[in-house]
Structure formats: C-alpha cells, structure tokens
Amino acid sequence: MLYFDLRKYFFRNFTSCLYVKWVANQIKKIEGNIAEYINFETINNKKMKRLLTLSMIAIMLSGFVSVQAQKIALVDINAVLDNMPEYRQAQAELDRLASEWRQEIAQEMDEIKSLYNRYQAQQVLLSPEAQKEKEDEIVAKEATVRELQRRRFGPEGDLFLKRQELVNPVQEKVYRAIDEYASERAYDIIFDKGGNTGLIFVNENFDKTEDIKRRLR
C-alpha cells in the first residue's frame, strides 16, 4: 500500500512519465534500503512503521520533490463540440453540401460514361477526324469534372472554406472557454484528450523562446 500511495502522489504532481517511472524505481530501492537499517519486526505499532518509512523516503527524495509541480488538465474537444447545438447544426449543413456536390460530380461522371459508350458504338462509322473530335470531347469533359472535384473538395476548396465559415467560430468559442477556465483555475497546461489538437493551452511562463533567442545571439 505504501508504494501504491506514493506512486499516486507523484503521478499527480509531476508531468513527465519518465519522472514517474524514476520515482517508482527509487521508492522500491529506498524501501529496500530502509529495511536494512530498521528492524520493523521490533515495531508493533503499524502507524509508527508507516510514519518512519514515509519520513525516510521524504528525506531521501527531498531534492527531487523540490521540482515545482505543474497543474495539468485534459479536455476532449470532440466531445465538447458534439455537445454544442451550433456545432451539430454546422456539421449537418456541411454534410448536406458534401452530399449535394458528390451527386453533382456523379452526374457529370455518368455523362462522360455515356459519351464514351456512344463513341465506342459509332467508332467504326466515324472518320479519323471525327474519332479524334469525339475523343477530345471526352478528354475535355474528364478534365472539367476533375476540376469540379478539386474545386469542391480539394485543399482551399468550397467544402474547406465552408467549414471555416461554419465551424471555426464554434471552435474559437470552445478555445476561449478553455482559456478562461484555465486562468480561473490556475492550470498551467491543458491537452486535448482526443489527441487531434494536442496542446490547447499553456501558461506563458513556460514559453522560453526569448531566452533561447538571447542565448544564441
């Protein structure tokens, strides 16, 4: 129980998992060392045994625990967004537009397929010049559909821009709420539990960019 309790204590107060592993290993070693110097069999009082052990561990790790603890929180951004009516409404509108534009592209692709089928049926009857004209028509149509697909769904395309218009304001609302919450509760770091965003808040005191710039001048 002693090892388990101390492990929970250090986990709450140190951000690095490597630190936690190090502390756990040190506690095991310390408990073994304590047993060499103290004969617990001669101490009948259980509370006294626990007090002695905790005291010696505290003394031996005093240098380590002097590291300032950081207050950390986790937030599941996706769960927060899914709980907001304005986000669900924005997502429904994006889904509607995406479905409409996919149908638009599918219709254009069906037209290309029809053009190609007609060309194959008539090919033997067409002159070389007429064949090339039909082929060029099909190629041009394919290029037009690819451009439509890029314009609708590509980077910086219509869906991307619409998402920025509808979703970004909702996301900014969430991030403002997180900033306010972190300031009110004195949190140093907040991570996105879902892992999509990563670090979503950090106390400015932890930003040492200027110190490194000055060091490298």
Side-chain angles (χ1 to χ4, degrees):
M1 285 299 296
L2 171 63
Y3 167 67
F4 181 72
D5 291 343
L6 283 170
R7 185 174 62 181
K8 287 198 298 184
Y9 169 78
F10 281 108
F11 184 80
R12 286 197 302 267
N13 287 277
F14 294 95
T15 60
S16 172
C17 291
L18 292 176
Y19 279 177
V20 175
K21 288 182 179 179
W22 185 88
V23 171
N25 291 332
Q26 294 306 308
I27 289 173
K28 285 183 178 179
K29 292 178 182 178
I30 290 167
E31 287 182 320
N33 293 335
I34 290 172
E36 295 178 6
Y37 294 99
I38 299 176
N39 185 1
F40 283 107
E41 297 301 326
T42 63
I43 303 175
N44 296 322
N45 190 314
K46 291 183 178 180
K47 289 185 178 180
M48 182 60 70
K49 290 180 181 180
R50 186 179 182 84
L51 180 60
L52 282 170
T53 303
L54 284 171
S55 298
M56 292 198 68
I57 289 175
I59 292 170
M60 297 179 74
L61 292 181
S62 59
F64 181 77
V65 299
S66 63
V67 178
Q68 185 179 1
Q70 298 171 0
K71 193 172 181 182
I72 297 175
L74 299 176
V75 175
D76 190 333
I77 296 294
N78 288 335
V80 173
L81 289 171
D82 289 340
N83 195 52
M84 300 175 69
E86 55 264 53
Y87 177 79
R88 293 197 298 270
Q89 183 179 351
Q91 195 61 49
E93 176 64 11
L94 289 172
D95 291 342
R96 185 192 67 79
L97 287 172
S99 178
E100 179 182 313
W101 291 336
R102 280 194 296 268
Q103 186 176 357
E104 177 186 20
I105 292 170
Q107 289 175 349
E108 294 294 329
M109 293 296 292
D110 287 342
E111 186 176 341
I112 291 174
K113 187 175 180 180
S114 297
L115 284 174
Y116 182 73
N117 289 339
R118 286 198 300 270
Y119 167 70
Q120 281 191 317
Q122 300 171 358
Q123 186 176 10
V124 294
L125 304 174
L126 298 174
S127 64
E129 292 79 8
Q131 288 183 20
K132 187 175 186 311
E133 183 179 342
K134 291 292 184 181
E135 290 169 358
D136 290 344
E137 180 184 359
I138 293 171
V139 170
K141 188 68 175 178
E142 288 175 339
T144 300
V145 174
R146 284 196 299 271
E147 174 59 23
L148 176 62
Q149 193 169 23
R150 185 202 62 78
R151 193 171 75 246
R152 294 300 195 196
F153 296 103
E156 307 294 329
D158 294 338
L159 188 64
F160 173 83
L161 296 175
K162 198 65 178 177
R163 179 176 178 81
Q164 282 191 319
E165 176 188 338
L166 297 177
V167 175
N168 279 16
V170 184
Q171 290 177 327
E172 289 300 323
K173 183 178 179 180
V174 172
Y175 293 138
R176 283 196 302 271
I178 291 172
D179 285 346
E180 292 169 2
Y181 180 86
S183 299
E184 291 169 3
R185 304 298 179 90
Y187 279 100
D188 295 311
I189 298 173
I190 297 182
F191 290 99
D192 178 13
K193 184 178 178 181
N196 296 327
T197 309
L199 186 65
I200 53 180
F201 174 85
V202 62
N203 189 316
E204 291 184 358
N205 293 332
F206 290 98
D207 186 354
K208 304 302 180 184
T209 304
E210 294 304 319
D211 291 350
I212 301 303
K213 285 182 179 179
R214 284 192 291 271
R215 182 179 290 269
L216 294 173
R217 284 174 187 168

